Each structure stands twice: as C-alpha cells, then as structure tokens.
Amino acid sequence: MRSRVVLVTRLGSSLGLSGEHDGLTVADIRHPDAVETTIAGVHRGGELPVVTCAVADYEEVRTLVSYASVRYPGLRTCIEPLPGGPLAVGVLSSLVDDIDDVEDGLAWQLNAIDLLRAQAWSATWLPSVAKSRNPNPSLWHHAMSWLPGSGFLTVHHPTPRIVRAPKAPISGLDPRPETALLHSKATQDTWVVDAVRQALQPQSTSEMSSVRDQVDAHGTERAVELVAIPLAYHSDSRPVDVIDCLGCGLRHARPSCPVCGMSAEVPELDDPAPTPLPEFDPETPVPAPSGSSAPEGDRE
C-alpha cells in the first residue's frame, strides 16, 4: 500500500490552513477541520497517511486523528512524532516523504523515521533565551541574556542543552562529518551558520525554509535553525525483515504494527500437555453421581 506523509504543525501565515510546502502535505494543528480534511483526502486517494508532528504536539495530534477516524469510517493512519525544532520536523518529514516508488515503501519510510530520530541533530541559535522552552534555560542563562551582545545555541536533539554562543567560534559541539547541514535563512547574524559548520564539519551546507514563522516559533526574526542529517539515512534504513501484520495486513518491519498495534511476535503457547484419559474398562462399575440414589432394583 502506498503512503504519504502529512505534517501537522503550526504553519506560517503564507501557507494558510493546509496545502503543500516544497511538495510536503501540511495542515495547521490549530484548525482541526483542516487537519481532518487533509488526512481524509490522502485516505480517499488510496494512500495511507503517515502523520508526523513535533514531539510536544503528539497528544493533541493523536486526538485530532481519533476524531478523523470517527468521522471517516475505514480511515487508517499512523502517527510519528519527530524531535527537534520546526525546521528539523519539516526536513525529516520531507526526507521520509521522498521515499516512494520502492518495494515495501511504507516499511522503508518507517525505518527511515526511526533512524533519523536516533541520528539527526537539531539546534536553534537565539540572541536571548527568554522564549526558549526546549530545553528550558537556567536562571544563569536568563541573566546572560540581559547582557548586550548575548547569544545562545539551544540544542534540541539528541541531547538537549544550551551552549553560550555570543560570537564565533562556537565550542562544545562534537564534529558530525558524515552529515549534511541544513539551516534557515540568517537575516542578521550570518556568522552563525559558518560557526556551526566549522564545529560540525559536515559534507555540505544548504539553506531551507521552515513551515513556521521564526517570530511565531522563537519570538525573534534573528533566530537561526539548524539540522544535521546523516548522509546514509536512505540506504541504512532499507527494510530487511518485512512482515504482513496479522491484525490489519500492513507490511512493516517493526516489533509492533504502527497502525493497529498488533505485535509482530506470535506468542508461543506454554500450556502443559493435557493429561491422557484412563482407558475404559467395561468390568469396572461406574460410580453414581454425587447426591444420587441407587436404582430401585438394586436396593435391598
């Protein structure tokens, strides 16, 4: 069965309530009707919606998908929360959606999601941590934000932390040479991208547009989002042990079905062997049932 990724998140004003962003189907989480109709449209087109979202939005998205399932009988979908900032969630969704026209495409997409969750790197440079929520800044970080010329690199994934970065170079970042670095447009602090590139040492660097407005996401136009993607994510996520789900028939390579939740493992019965019945002997009298009396002819 073919599948299509649907990203549910807070959209920038230019995208409206739903539509496409660089070929990726998107819907605004703040408008339930738009989310439901977008998912239903993919379903009616004969494709399985793979709904992606930010980790923080998972419960809200799950509720919206539940409503859509009631409104559109027969709708099947899976929800895949992704780590990182808005740019990272959009980039990861696009990369997964680009895996199509291959055998067991859905299993391949799900494997790619799992690999990108584990290996992608996401961060945002901010002049102040006043609007930072992931990770939460300390009182010391807030105090540093009050000083002129402050700057911070908030690492969202894989290990959330805040690195003080008022100017180049940026220290405390481990090199990631087997990656591609993607970043949002740096309107003022253009040095940030070069500083992160020198620290991570990626194979390439490219500018990407986010599905969300910078001011809406981070409270400032000066924010610069960055995400490093492993170059081998496509080949490394090739599915091997693909199975047909015993519950819904979906082909996947996970321990449990992402749609119906059925475990891929068939439980082994651990019941002891039944006790054999004794051989019937016609000479052995059959005892009367408890509480019954002997027949009239047998009474003395």
Side-chain angles (χ1 to χ4, degrees):
M1 182 179 187
R2 289 182 59 87
S3 57
R4 188 195 303 180
V5 174
V6 178
L7 171 59
V8 178
T9 187
R10 289 158 182 78
L11 301 181
S13 56
S14 62
L15 293 174
L17 305 186
S18 63
E20 288 193 355
H21 175 75
D22 292 337
L24 175 68
T25 303
V26 295
D28 198 307
I29 191 174
R30 296 166 292 191
H31 299 274
D33 287 343
V35 174
E36 290 184 20
T37 54
T38 300
I39 294 175
V42 174
H43 165 68
R44 285 195 295 265
E47 297 176 303
L48 177 77
V50 178
V51 180
T52 58
C53 63
V55 171
D57 294 333
Y58 173 71
E59 291 299 332
E60 186 174 355
V61 170
R62 188 174 69 166
T63 299
L64 295 177
V65 171
S66 298
Y67 290 158
S69 300
V70 173
R71 186 172 179 181
Y72 300 96
L75 172 65
R76 296 194 305 166
T77 186
C78 58
I79 308 173
E80 299 293 332
L82 298 173
L87 180 66
V89 173
V91 167
L92 300 188
S93 298
S94 294
L95 292 176
V96 172
D97 191 50
D98 287 342
I99 301 176
D100 57 4
D101 296 328
V102 295
E103 185 179 0
D104 291 322
L106 176 61
W108 202 317
Q109 286 179 322
L110 296 175
N111 280 13
I113 287 175
D114 293 338
L115 185 143
L116 290 170
R117 278 198 193 106
Q119 298 186 13
W121 178 89
S122 170
T124 303
W125 183 88
L126 297 167
S128 167
V129 295
K131 299 290 185 179
S132 180
R133 296 293 179 271
N134 177 31
N136 288 320
S138 66
L139 182 60
W140 181 84
H141 291 128
H142 281 292
M144 292 297 102
S145 294
W146 299 335
L147 300 177
S150 63
F152 303 87
L153 188 70
T154 58
V155 180
H156 309 300
H157 185 77
T159 304
R161 60 196 179 104
I162 298 178
V163 178
R164 212 179 152 221
K167 60 182 181 179
I170 298 178
S171 60
L173 300 181
D174 295 328
R176 294 175 176 267
E178 300 302 322
T179 64
L181 178 65
L182 308 175
H183 63 89
S184 63
K185 185 177 182 179
T187 56
Q188 299 182 42
D189 303 276
T190 55
W191 63 269
V192 172
V193 175
D194 288 336
V196 173
R197 179 178 55 80
Q198 292 176 11
L200 297 186
Q201 303 174 18
Q203 294 290 322
S204 63
T205 306
S206 303
E207 181 181 308
M208 297 286 292
S209 60
S210 176
V211 297
R212 191 172 174 186
D213 293 332
Q214 294 287 65
V215 176
D216 178 47
H218 306 292
T220 174
E221 292 182 348
R222 294 178 58 188
V224 182
E225 292 190 71
L226 308 112
V227 54
I229 303 299
L231 294 174
Y233 81 92
H234 189 281
S235 58
D236 288 352
S237 59
R238 177 189 293 272
V240 178
D241 299 324
V242 181
I243 64 167
D244 293 316
C245 175
L246 298 176
C248 66
L250 189 79
R251 288 182 60 77
H252 67 92
R254 283 185 173 175
S256 60
C257 179
V259 172
C260 72
M262 174 71 76
S263 174
E265 298 291 334
V266 179
E268 296 183 2
L269 297 179
D270 196 23
D271 295 337
T275 303
L277 295 174
E279 296 184 3
F280 176 70
D281 184 357
E283 301 296 330
T284 303
V286 179
S290 176
S292 64
S293 58
E296 292 289 339
D298 293 340
R299 295 178 181 174
E300 295 182 359

